[in-house]
Amino acid sequence: MPYEVLEKQIKTLPEEYYEQLEHFVQFLLHEAKAKSRKSEDISEKLAAIYSKIPDEEHTSHCDATLDSWRELTKNDSW
């Protein structure tokens, strides 16, 4: 549903329903911001951890070959 149509429908709601909807939207915004902050916190912690690893110890994704993955996962039960 396009935003404009939804907006028109919301504006036709009785005042009490409109207020409930407004509270619900505010709650959703609050939850989204809280999750965003958690994601940022995790990203910052990971960056701090990875920054302590010397560059020469970093591995490239290209180092993993199909044969090495087969060897690593040969005893895994899927």
Side-chain angles (χ1 to χ4, degrees):
M1 176 181 303
Y3 174 77
E4 293 80 16
V5 174
L6 181 61
E7 183 180 24
K8 286 179 183 178
Q9 288 181 342
I10 290 172
K11 288 182 178 181
T12 62
L13 291 173
E15 186 67 27
E16 63 188 62
Y17 295 131
Y18 182 81
E19 289 176 9
Q20 289 178 6
L21 182 61
E22 182 71 24
H23 290 298
F24 180 70
V25 169
Q26 292 301 321
F27 170 76
L28 290 177
L29 287 172
H30 173 75
E31 290 297 309
K33 287 179 183 177
K35 286 184 181 180
S36 175
R37 282 191 297 271
K38 288 178 186 174
S39 295
E40 289 172 6
D41 291 345
I42 291 170
S43 296
E44 289 172 6
K45 288 177 184 176
L46 285 173
I49 290 169
Y50 287 131
S51 68
K52 294 177 184 176
I53 300 173
D55 288 339
E56 59 272 3
E57 291 184 23
H58 285 243
T59 57
S60 170
H61 293 290
C62 298
D63 293 342
T65 63
L66 182 57
D67 291 332
S68 65
W69 278 102
R70 284 184 179 143
E71 182 64 27
L72 287 170
T73 59
K74 68 181 176 186
N75 295 323
D76 288 356
S77 60
W78 299 86

